[in-house]
């Protein structure tokens, strides 16, 4: 896994950091913006955001996972929370373990999942899969309260304190997002439910509160984004601060049990924690001093601070606490935090005056350089003079480095500094503020005349011993801690305090300054750090503020502090507008000239590059053509070889086909013979079967005939016996009956014989016809099968030939298509080359014609100028030698004569009076002087033309270089 660091404005990737093996679920950034902590399930890593390098890595056992690791606000403490409920506090710089929080009581032990810390870093709220909340006092390092949420709450998903402008960072309202999607806001002191957002039907998935506590943004479970106004939800959150008289309860010395710490959240009556029987709560009542006077309104600052009290605190300790310094500065300067106006200035982009800022001020940190460039651009867009102020980056850099993670505060601090502590700095722009430096020099002359006289003796002005300190706001001569301590005092006093600091710095450094005699030593002294105690300088400043006379005191000439206006920034026009406009115009003219020069140089470079590229392309084209020609010859040889191989392969293939055809014919003949033999065998078997059937039927018929004969014989015997019996009884009818019997028997036999004869004929005819039919059918079937075999073989042969023809036709078409495409491209290339050649020849003829015209014009101009100078010189010489000589003007043409003075008209009369003679002599002398001056001008012009020609000759070499 790796992290990406993106720039929010330009949306560019600044850096990416690799190190985690599992997904990162938490990122915490230090208040200074210099460090960041990334947390995954198995490790936590500390990163340096200036170099994007990993400083430390926290490794743990697999059995104990990491829950969350984060920075405490306004401190250098890192809090690490593990899955076994252990919480450790570490020092950020040394990573030394400062303390470990004790284990919570067993009666209310929960597994911590979510955490929240107040803005002052004093109270830690922790919750998990329970309706109990644990509140830890990080200063006392003990659990001081357990809050029981309503019974509807079974698990806590998110905790976040609601910021308030009146609580000075000790937030009292805690937002609790539970498993039912409802976020409840409770007061951790009174345990009263103030309000709630979300519902069971429209639950909240995640939520975030704005830094000032005015709005709450929530992502709902249905995917929508809801933004709530805290002021509209409740009026109790924004109530004014409590009165000065209040009751303070001290914590008991002994430990309280979990039952004593537990409080329930109620929506009506406020429930207080139960008191322990073993110890009584000690109370102290702070009464208001009714006799004391209230502080004046001008000393009242935002966020409940008082300027007089802060000054007393500053004089007592020498500086403000590091943890609250930025908060106090914002209150002292009364910053309006105009987000919309600042966004408008930022949206205008980087000012053209600071596009190449990195060339003049190479800063190692890219982030710091971007913030500095953006801040300076915003100042230049605010007032045009700041785009021409050369020392503005020096003045703004320490504040940019201090507030690099909050650009709005950085801009407003610098703007407030310029409006109040840089008064009258721009009245002599672009020169240093002579009036301000004169104030400093007057104060220095009053308090240390010897040092000022030493400066005067060595030609050291206030622009050397005062202005470097002012334009860098002491950032070059002081360390970070010293500079912060100094500006604690500057921001807490009148704007004249900064000028007094310059005088105090010189007075406290008088010993090394009096020993300096060279100007370089003085410059080095005021541009580098020196061995000087800043506390001594600050005490000297306060002494100067008190002992300086009113007539030379800077506070009489500087206005009091004025804060920036709310909503929109004030107009800054305290500078000579005509000078700035003139410089802007001159700078614009120079920039345009430079752009024209760069454009021309770029054009020449592009033309040269195109010529070089064309030459390279031509060489490459010729080489490619040569390679193509060689490749074509090689391909032709290969093609001939392939054709020979193909012919040989075709011959071998034809021989193989013939062999295969012969084999196929042999196989077909053998198959036909085998088929005919099979048919003959089948016919023989059928004949044998028919013979067997006929024999069987003949045998059956014979048996039936024999049986019939025996039956007839038995019948005959019976008849004979009956005859003998009847003959005995029927004598009279014997003969008739015998006749009838014989007649009937003969008829029956004839009938039977006839039927048997017909049946035998029918059987013989059917067998003969069946045999003939079967023979014809078998012959026809054999012929049809043979015809089918022959036809199939012919069809297969034709199909193979057709496939070969189609494939060969397709190849021929592709080759023909490629040949047509190549011919078309060759024609296009040839036409383009012909057109380009004609265009180039036409362009060359035009340029050659212009060159000849320019040469002719130059030659005519040179000849005309030489003739004119020669005529004027001759005229001047003739006037000098013979002033009274009448001279006829000589001109080349009528046009030149109209331009030259008509001096011939002066000598039209033969007689002249003395005054005319004197004026002519004076004019001759003037013509002589004019001729000499003209000769000098001609020589100077010739020298300049020679130098310009020489410069033009050197320009191609410079461009090539």
């Amino acid at each position: 896994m790796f992290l990406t660091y993106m720039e929010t404005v330009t949306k560019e990737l600044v850096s990416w950091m690799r190190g985690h093996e599992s997904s990162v679920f938490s990122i915490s950034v230090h208040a200074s913006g210099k460090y960041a902590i990334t947390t995954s399930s198995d490790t936590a890593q500390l990163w340096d955001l200036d170099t994007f390098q990993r400083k430390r890595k926290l490794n743990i056992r697999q059995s104990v996972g990491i829950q969350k690791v984060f920075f405490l606000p306004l401190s250098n403490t890192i809090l690490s929370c593990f899955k076994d409920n252990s919480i450790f506090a570490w020092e950020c710089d040394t990573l030394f373990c400062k303390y470990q929080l004790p284990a919570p009581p067993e009666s209310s032990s929960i597994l911590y999942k979510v955490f929240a810390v107040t803005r002052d870093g004093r109270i830690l709220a922790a919750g998990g899969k329970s309706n109990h909340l644990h509140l830890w006092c990080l200063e006392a390092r003990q659990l001081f309260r357990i809050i029981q949420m309503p019974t509807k709450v079974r698990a806590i998903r998110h905790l976040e304190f609601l910021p308030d402008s009146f609580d000075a960072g000790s937030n009292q309202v805690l937002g609790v997002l539970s498993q039912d999607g409802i976020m409840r806001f409770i007061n951790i002191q009174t345990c009263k439910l103030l309000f709630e957002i979300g519902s069971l039907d429209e639950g909240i998935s995640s939520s975030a509160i704005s830094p000032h506590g005015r709005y709450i943004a929530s992502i709902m479970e249905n995917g929508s984004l809801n933004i709530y106004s805290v002021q509209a939800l409740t009026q109790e959150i924004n109530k004014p601060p409590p009165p000065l008289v209040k009751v303070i309860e001290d914590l008991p010395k002994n430990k309280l049990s979990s039952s004593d710490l537990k409080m329930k959240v109620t929506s009506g009556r406020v429930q207080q924690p139960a008191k322990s029987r073993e110890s009584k709560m000690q109370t102290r009542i702070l009464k208001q001093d009714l006799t004391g006077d209230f502080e004046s309104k001008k000393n009242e600052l935002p966020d409940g601070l008082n300027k007089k009290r802060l000054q007393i605190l500053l004089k007592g300790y020498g500086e403000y606490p590091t943890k609250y310094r930025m908060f106090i500065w914002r209150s002292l300067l009364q910053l309006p935090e105009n987000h919309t106006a600042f966004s408008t200035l930022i949206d205008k982009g980087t000012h053209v005056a600071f596009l190449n800022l990195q060339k003049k001020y190479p800063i190692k940190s890219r982030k710091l350089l971007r913030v500095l460039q953006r801040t300076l651009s915003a100042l230049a867009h605010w007032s045009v003079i700041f785009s021409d102020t050369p020392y503005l980056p020096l003045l703004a850099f320490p504040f940019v480095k201090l507030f690099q993670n909050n650009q709005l505060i950085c801009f407003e601090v610098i703007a407030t500094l310029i409006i109040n502590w840089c008064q009258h700095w721009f009245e002599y722009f672009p020169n240093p503020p002579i009036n301000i430096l004169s104030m400093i020099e007057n104060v220095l002359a009053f308090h240390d005349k010897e040092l000022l006289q030493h400066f005067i003796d060595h030609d050291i002005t206030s622009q050397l011993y005062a202005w470097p300190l002012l334009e860098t706001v002491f950032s070059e001569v002081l360390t970070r801690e010293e500079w912060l301590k100094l500006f604690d005092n500057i921001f807490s006093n009148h704007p004249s305090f900064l000028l007094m600091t310059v005088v105090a710095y010189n007075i406290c450094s008088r010993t090394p300054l009096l020993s300096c005699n060279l100007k370089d030593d003085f410059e080095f002294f005021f541009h580098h750090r020196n061995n000087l105690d800043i506390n001594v300088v600050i005490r000297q400043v306060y002494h100067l503020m008190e002992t300086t006379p009113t007539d030379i005191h800077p506070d009489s000439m500087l206005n009091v502090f004025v804060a920036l206006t709310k909503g929109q920034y004030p107009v800054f026009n305290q500078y000579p507008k005509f000078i700035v406009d003139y410089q802007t115009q001159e700078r614009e003219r120079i920039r345009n000239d430079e752009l024209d020069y760069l454009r021309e140089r770029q054009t020449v470079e592009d033309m040269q590059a195109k010529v070089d590229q064309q030459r390279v392309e031509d060489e490459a084209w010729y080489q490619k053509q040569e390679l193509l020609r060689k490749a074509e010859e090689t391909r032709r040889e290969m093609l001939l070889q392939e054709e020979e191989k193909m012919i040989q392969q075709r011959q071998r293939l034809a021989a193989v086909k013939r062999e295969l055809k012969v084999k196929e014919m042999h196989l077909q003949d053998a198959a036909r013979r085998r088929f005919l033999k099979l048919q003959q065998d089948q016919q023989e078997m059928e004949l044998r079967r028919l013979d067997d059937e006929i024999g069987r039927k003949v045998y059956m018929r014979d048996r039936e005939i024999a049986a019939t004969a025996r039956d007839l014989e038995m019948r005959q015997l019976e008849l004979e016996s009956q005859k003998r019996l009847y003959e005995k009884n029927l004598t009279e009818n014997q003969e008739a009956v015998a006749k009838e019997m014989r007649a009937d028997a003969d008829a029956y036999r004839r009938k039977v014989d006839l039927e048997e004869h017909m049946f035998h004929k029918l059987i013989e005819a059917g067998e003969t016809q069946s045999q003939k039919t079967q023979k014809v059918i078998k012959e026809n079937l054999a012929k049809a099968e043979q015809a089918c075999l022959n036809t199939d073989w012919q069809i297969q042969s034709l199909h193979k030939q057709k496939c070969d023809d189609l494939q060969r036709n397709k190849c021929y078409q592709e080759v023909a298509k490629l040949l047509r495409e190549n011919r078309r491209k060759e024609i296009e290339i040839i036409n383009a080359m012909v057109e380009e050649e004609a265009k180039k020849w036409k362009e060359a003829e035009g340029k050659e014609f212009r060159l000849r015209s320019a040469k002719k014009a130059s030659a005519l101009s040179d000849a005309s100028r030489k003739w004119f100078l020669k005529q004027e010189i001759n005229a001047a010489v003739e006037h000098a030698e013979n002033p009274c000589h009448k001279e006829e003007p000589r001109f080349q043409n009528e046009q030149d004569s109209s331009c030259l003075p008509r001096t011939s008209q002066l000598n039209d009369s033969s007689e002249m009076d003395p005054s005319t003679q004197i004026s002519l002599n004076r004019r001759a002398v003037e013509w002589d002087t004019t001729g000499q001056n003209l000769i000098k001008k001609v020589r100077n012009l010739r020298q300049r033309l020679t130098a310009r020609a020489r410069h033009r000759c050197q320009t191609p070499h410079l461009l090539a270089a």
Side-chain angles (χ1 to χ4, degrees), residues 423-425 427-428 432-440 557:
Q423 297 180 38
H424 310 293
W425 279 29
E427 293 180 357
Y428 294 90
I434 306 300
N435 48 355
I436 299 297
L437 299 179
S438 299
M439 296 181 195
I440 296 174
M557 289 166 276

Side-chain angles (χ1 to χ4, degrees), residues 338-507:
N338 299 327
H339 293 272
T340 305
F342 179 71
S343 300
T344 304
L345 295 176
I346 289 297
D347 292 341
K348 293 182 180 179
T350 304
H351 197 274
V352 67
F354 304 106
L355 288 175
N356 299 321
L357 184 65
Q358 67 277 8
K359 295 182 180 179
K360 190 174 181 180
Y361 300 100
I363 301 175
K364 183 178 180 182
S365 175
R366 294 175 57 188
K367 174 185 175 182
L368 190 60
L369 178 62
R370 285 194 303 273
V371 175
L372 177 61
Q373 190 177 37
R374 198 171 299 145
T375 304
L376 296 178
S377 299
L379 290 170
H381 291 309
W382 176 43
S383 181
V384 68
I385 190 173
F386 297 127
S387 62
D388 300 325
T389 306
Y391 56 86
L392 184 63
L394 301 175
L395 185 141
F397 180 74
F399 298 99
V400 170
K401 191 171 183 181
L402 188 63
F403 297 100
Q404 58 182 322
N405 295 306
N406 195 335
Q407 300 178 31
L408 171 63
I409 300 300
C410 177
F411 172 80
E412 292 187 350
V413 168
I414 297 173
T416 306
L417 177 72
I418 292 173
I419 290 177
N420 294 278
W421 282 271
C422 299
Q423 297 180 38
H424 310 293
W425 279 29
F426 305 98
E427 293 180 357
Y428 294 90
F429 186 82
N431 300 316
I434 306 300
N435 48 355
I436 299 297
L437 299 179
S438 299
M439 296 181 195
I440 296 174
E441 188 170 356
N442 292 335
V443 176
L444 181 62
F446 179 80
H447 291 282
D448 198 339
K449 295 181 180 180
E450 182 183 358
L451 181 59
L452 180 60
Q453 187 61 39
H454 180 70
F455 286 153
I456 295 172
D457 294 341
H458 292 85
D459 197 17
I460 304 300
T461 62
S462 57
Q463 296 186 17
L464 186 57
Y465 67 80
W467 182 236
L469 301 177
L470 289 176
E471 67 179 357
T472 60
V473 287
F474 293 90
S475 60
E476 286 185 348
V477 297
L478 297 179
T479 61
R480 175 187 173 88
E481 290 74 14
E482 294 173 347
W483 187 85
L484 292 174
K485 186 181 296 185
L486 174 63
F487 268 85
D488 285 343
N489 292 270
I490 291 175
F491 287 153
S492 303
N493 290 277
H494 192 271
S496 61
F497 193 90
L498 179 62
L499 306 183
M500 290 298 190
T501 305
V502 177
V503 179
Y505 187 85
N506 282 273
I507 293 175

